[in-house]
Amino acid sequence: MTNERYLFSSESVTEGHPDKVADQISDGVLDAILADDPMGRVACEVLCTTGMVFVSGEISTKTYVDIPRIAREIVQSIGYTRAKYGFDSETCAVLTAIDEQSENIAVGVDNPLEVREHLVPEEEIAQVGAGDQGMMIGYACNETEEYMPMTISLAHRLARRLSQVRKDGTIPYLRPDGKTQVTLEYEDGRPLRADTIVVSAQHHPEARAEDIRSDILRHVITPVVPATLMDPGTRIFVNPTGRFVKGGPMADTGLTGRKIIVDTYGGIVAHGGGAFSGKDPTKVDRSAAYMARYAAKNVVAAGLADRCQIQVAYAIGVAQPVSIMVDTFGTAKGITDAEITRRIRAHFDFRPAAIIRDLDLRRPQYKRLAAYGHMGRIDLDPLPAWERTDRAALLSGQ
């Protein structure tokens, strides 16, 4: 680790951003199915644009859910309630194109390689194979109380605050769409100061630029960004194009899974590439990413390293991961990355059925994660299971 200074940026978006509208509808459908059919298989994708929500995907379930009703309720809760916004919960069209899950995928999930080749008894936890091949990333660091990079943590807090002051009337002229971005200056891997704060907030056409800047500085930025990070050199941009009247799905088509960096670690580490929203927990894109976060957070909480990235990879239809790799970026404390990997393998079971069991993933809990990030969500009650640090003592050998 050098003493060289550098800048790093992360962004977030509000729940009214078109991509997040799509994510929330996808996870709303998933939650509704899991509420009545915990074993349901769901891969739900949403596209939203001016006046329309299009829900597609592969769903196999014994229950029935009213997808148009779910979509409209979510759009309404976000705040798109007037036709003049170009997207209205009461008048938007909701189209569906749903098929059953491919039987080729189902056979590998229901009857994994380990069972088919008699490597383990059928009753063992290996009885769920990975729903796809691919690699997933988990990460944690000790920059914040939630063990997340400070850039993405502050960006999420700004985005949540932007929605809060809109909904509670503190800034009544705001509309649902918005984006935030935080650039911090680092030295030796630690945040020193805020270099640039960007807030883009959709607003009523008659709102004045000077009022928007003043109100967002007072009611959004100042309550969120610690004063110790701000200095005379900190640059603040509020609606840098001047106006942000046309927003939401009217201005930009929204798609499920297009904010995977916002959903995870703000770009500070690698990403496996798989999205989360709309996928049931047999899809390791989602469940294994949660488990990797759980393990990485416990490594850092145990004091074994300041930063920890875990990559796990799977073959479709096989329960055991094909690889697990740990990278602590040279921050490990008197222990090798290989030894941390060994301890993780000893105390965390990365087979899909074990992940589902240990993190209690077959219950409705996903729509609440579909905006403001899936990781570091200590603001939620109940706390997501992958945010616990209950295995830190095991990893430290205490």
Side-chain angles (χ1 to χ4, degrees), residues 15 25 33 39 55 67 88 115 121 158 217 224 274 320 337-338 358 367 374 388 393:
E15 63 210 61
I25 294 172
I33 290 172
M39 304 302 289
V55 184
I67 290 177
D88 170 32
V115 173
L158 287 168
L217 182 59
V224 168
Q320 284 285 2
D337 289 357
D358 292 346
K367 186 174 75 68
H374 292 248
R388 301 184 311 236

Side-chain angles (χ1 to χ4, degrees), residues 62-345:
K62 67 181 182 181
T63 193
Y64 168 79
V65 295
D66 187 342
I67 290 177
R69 180 185 59 79
I70 292 169
R72 294 183 192 282
E73 287 178 352
I74 290 171
V75 171
Q76 181 182 45
S77 70
I78 292 169
Y80 289 112
T81 55
R82 302 183 68 183
K84 67 191 312 182
Y85 298 165
F87 196 65
D88 170 32
S89 61
E90 293 186 1
T91 63
C92 67
V94 181
L95 309 179
T96 60
I98 304 294
D99 291 316
E100 288 190 336
Q101 183 187 58
S102 164
E103 61 184 21
N104 301 128
I105 297 175
V107 69
V109 174
D110 297 333
N111 191 27
L113 179 73
E114 290 90 336
V115 173
R116 282 180 274 131
E117 297 191 354
H118 308 292
L119 301 176
V120 298
E122 287 191 18
E123 65 272 13
E124 285 210 3
I125 201 73
Q127 207 169 349
V128 173
D132 202 352
Q133 71 175 46
M135 51 280 189
M136 299 82 215
I137 299 293
Y139 178 75
C141 62
N142 57 10
E143 290 180 30
T144 63
E145 64 175 333
E146 59 266 46
Y147 293 88
M148 290 287 285
M150 187 173 287
T151 50
I152 189 66
S153 177
L154 289 175
H156 283 324
R157 291 179 194 177
L158 287 168
R160 287 200 302 268
R161 180 67 181 171
L162 198 58
S163 289
Q164 179 185 338
V165 297
R166 169 178 62 88
K167 290 182 173 182
D168 67 17
T170 300
I171 308 181
Y173 52 78
L174 292 183
R175 289 182 175 173
D177 199 356
K179 302 181 77 171
T180 63
Q181 185 171 288
V182 174
T183 300
L184 298 182
E185 184 175 359
Y186 282 76
E187 183 178 35
D188 195 24
R190 311 306 300 179
L192 291 180
R193 56 179 292 274
D195 181 83
T196 309
I197 308 292
V198 183
V199 177
S200 296
Q202 187 188 12
H203 58 84
H204 188 281
E206 295 182 4
R208 300 188 310 164
E210 56 268 32
D211 292 334
I212 298 170
R213 177 180 172 83
S214 174
D215 287 343
I216 286 180
L217 182 59
R218 178 184 176 187
H219 297 294
V220 177
I221 296 173
T222 299
V224 168
V225 182
T228 53
L229 290 177
M230 305 289 278
D231 64 31
T234 301
R235 296 178 297 171
I236 297 176
F237 296 107
V238 175
N239 287 2
T241 64
R243 287 171 62 78
F244 186 1
V245 173
K246 187 177 180 180
M250 183 181 184
D252 184 16
T253 298
L255 295 170
T256 298
R258 201 160 58 177
K259 285 291 177 285
I260 57 176
I261 299 302
V262 172
D263 285 342
T264 52
Y265 307 102
I268 196 76
V269 291
H271 194 291
F276 301 154
S277 290
K279 297 178 180 177
D280 76 78
T282 66
K283 278 73 171 175
V284 284
D285 278 343
R286 173 167 233 159
S287 54
Y290 292 162
M291 194 65 164
R293 161 65 179 174
Y294 182 32
K297 186 172 182 178
N298 276 268
V299 167
V300 177
L304 300 182
D306 293 334
R307 302 173 62 198
C308 180
Q309 174 185 282
I310 297 174
Q311 184 205 68
V312 57
Y314 292 87
I316 188 169
V318 181
Q320 284 285 2
V322 300
S323 68
I324 298 175
M325 186 198 77
V326 170
D327 187 354
T328 61
F329 308 95
T331 69
K333 310 294 184 182
I335 188 173
T336 65
D337 289 357
E339 174 59 18
I340 293 175
T341 303
R342 187 196 67 78
R343 295 188 190 187
I344 287 171
R345 286 184 175 274

